[in-house]
Amino acid sequence: MERFPSMPSMPVAMAFGVETELEYTGNLSQVAQLLPLPRRSFASADETHIRIWAAEGDLVKKTFPSNQRSMVTAMAYCPSLTALLTAEVDMTLKLYRTGTLETMESFSLDLARRGSKGSYSHKVTSLVFFDKQRWVLAGGDAGTELFCLERSKTRRRQSNGSMEYELR
């Protein structure tokens, strides 16, 4: 009987695993968005709330349904405004103060898209904020759109702290 030559020893595969270090609980539905923020924190959005979490697992701030929010489809952080920018199912982009999660401003995508070709009913599924230029790059069903946050010439600062900006 002929013997096969011995096989060279195979390198031992190293095993890598992922372990849960910390769980962030309190979401009532599926978390659809996660966004890193400064100061070792991050934001999460589910169907009813936006939450700001500390890296250690503590819930820092939470918006409530009484803020008349709709489901968040995308989020971006705006450093110079210290704000969280969201795209929402109700066809708006909204700015929230990261410290309090109060609504700073709400922009209608229908108004911002006026004059552009195509349908206005496309939802935004990704956002990028370019801080220096104050550009908002939005991607979604309609492709990619670029908006600019400009200082308004007609609106004045409201007593509720809303900004003097428009989305164009």
Side-chain angles (χ1 to χ4, degrees):
M1 204 189 279
E2 190 176 324
R3 295 188 75 181
F4 291 103
S6 64
M7 296 286 291
S9 62
M10 298 294 289
V12 177
M14 296 182 69
F16 291 97
V18 177
E19 293 181 29
T20 302
E21 281 193 36
L22 192 55
E23 288 186 335
Y24 299 87
T25 59
N27 293 302
L28 301 177
S29 60
Q30 177 183 358
V31 174
Q33 299 293 320
L34 292 169
L35 179 70
L37 298 172
R39 297 189 192 106
R40 294 180 36 92
S41 63
F42 68 94
S44 69
D46 60 27
E47 289 182 14
T48 58
H49 294 86
I50 295 174
R51 292 173 171 80
I52 304 288
W53 302 87
E56 296 77 30
D58 300 325
L59 180 62
V60 180
K61 296 287 177 197
K62 174 171 86 169
T63 61
F64 295 98
S66 61
N67 273 5
Q68 298 187 10
R69 292 188 355 80
S70 68
M71 192 164 85
V72 172
T73 58
M75 292 192 298
Y77 180 65
C78 311
S80 63
L81 303 173
T82 317
L84 185 64
L85 177 67
T86 65
E88 302 191 12
V89 172
D90 65 358
M91 302 307 293
T92 60
L93 295 181
K94 293 181 182 162
L95 277 168
Y96 295 94
R97 281 187 176 78
T98 53
T100 61
L101 285 179
E102 291 178 69
T103 305
M104 295 169 64
E105 192 68 84
S106 181
F107 305 103
S108 166
L109 284 174
D110 290 341
L111 291 176
R113 289 173 170 157
R114 212 175 326 154
S116 67
K117 296 177 182 172
S119 171
Y120 295 154
S121 63
H122 297 290
K123 124 179 130 172
V124 172
T125 56
S126 60
L127 282 174
V128 177
F129 183 76
F130 295 91
D131 202 40
K132 187 175 181 182
Q133 300 87 354
R134 298 251 168 114
W135 290 341
V136 176
L137 186 61
D141 298 340
T144 306
E145 302 170 283
L146 183 65
F147 300 102
C148 185
L149 227 82
E150 294 179 342
R151 191 166 295 279
S152 173
K153 294 175 177 89
T154 58
R155 296 172 61 189
R156 298 180 191 259
R157 185 173 295 272
Q158 302 294 318
S159 60
N160 67 359
S162 65
M163 299 169 32
E164 298 178 358
Y165 287 94
E166 292 178 332
L167 192 65
R168 298 197 183 273

